[in-house]
Amino acid sequence: MKNIFIILGLIVSLLLGGCTSNTEPILKGTYQSDIQGSEYVVQMSFQPEDNSYVEYIENREVDKGTYEKENDVYIINSENQQNFQIRLGKEDTFEIIDRINNGEPIKLIKINDTPIYISTEFNDVENYKALLNKKRK
């Protein structure tokens, strides 16, 4: 009887230990801002195979480029010369300070492990790209 309790105790310990893994999240997949608190919805898709990303505002592609990891910071290299840094939190979220939210941080939350790309064409993409013209902090 005592052996059964020991075995059950070990199994519970292993299960709990496996659930509390301290693995660091990897920047991959699709992240999206909350609809609340910002005038626009921002989405970013990250492809770890080639370290590329695409940024969307309201489903319009406004920027793309590459990224690299240095220590615990991701350096985002934009094709629009709007380079910035991301520090990925343990909750697999990050914040960007962007001019489209009056300089207030925009929190992006992972919504999918797979990068999502939007190919719909809009006639007003240049208006959304213009939102990125100011320097990002």
Side-chain angles (χ1 to χ4, degrees):
M1 189 69 158
K2 185 177 179 182
N3 288 340
I4 293 174
F5 287 117
I6 292 173
I7 292 172
L8 286 175
L10 286 173
I11 291 172
V12 169
S13 296
L14 289 173
L15 288 174
L16 291 176
C19 293
T20 59
S21 173
N22 287 335
T23 59
E24 184 177 318
I26 298 170
L27 188 62
K28 70 173 186 175
T30 302
Y31 296 77
Q32 179 175 303
S33 66
D34 191 358
I35 296 171
Q36 303 297 321
S38 180
E39 187 175 343
Y40 303 98
V41 174
V42 177
Q43 299 159 314
M44 295 185 79
S45 290
F46 296 91
Q47 182 64 261
E49 283 77 21
D50 62 359
N51 286 5
S52 65
Y53 82 95
V54 179
E55 180 178 7
Y56 302 92
I57 299 176
E58 296 291 319
N59 296 326
R60 286 129 174 110
E61 183 179 315
V62 295
D63 195 12
K64 60 184 173 182
T66 61
Y67 66 95
E68 57 190 297
K69 185 174 181 183
E70 290 184 13
N71 300 319
D72 62 341
V73 174
Y74 290 90
I75 310 299
I76 309 299
N77 302 302
S78 162
E79 283 187 1
N80 291 336
Q81 307 305 315
Q82 301 286 331
N83 300 344
F84 57 101
Q85 297 180 356
I86 290 174
R87 186 176 308 271
L88 197 57
K90 291 191 187 307
E91 309 84 34
D92 215 356
T93 64
F94 62 88
E95 288 185 346
I96 57 174
I97 297 179
D98 213 322
R99 57 237 154 258
I100 65 170
N101 202 32
N102 298 320
E104 293 296 317
I106 299 174
K107 184 176 185 177
L108 281 85
I109 301 166
K110 182 181 257 186
I111 60 170
N112 200 317
D113 280 335
T114 305
I116 298 171
Y117 299 100
I118 302 167
S119 61
T120 305
E121 292 192 25
F122 296 92
N123 293 330
D124 59 352
V125 172
E126 292 305 316
N127 295 337
Y128 287 87
K129 284 185 178 183
L131 294 171
L132 298 180
N133 284 338
K134 296 178 187 174
K135 282 280 186 203
R136 186 176 298 203
K137 294 181 183 179

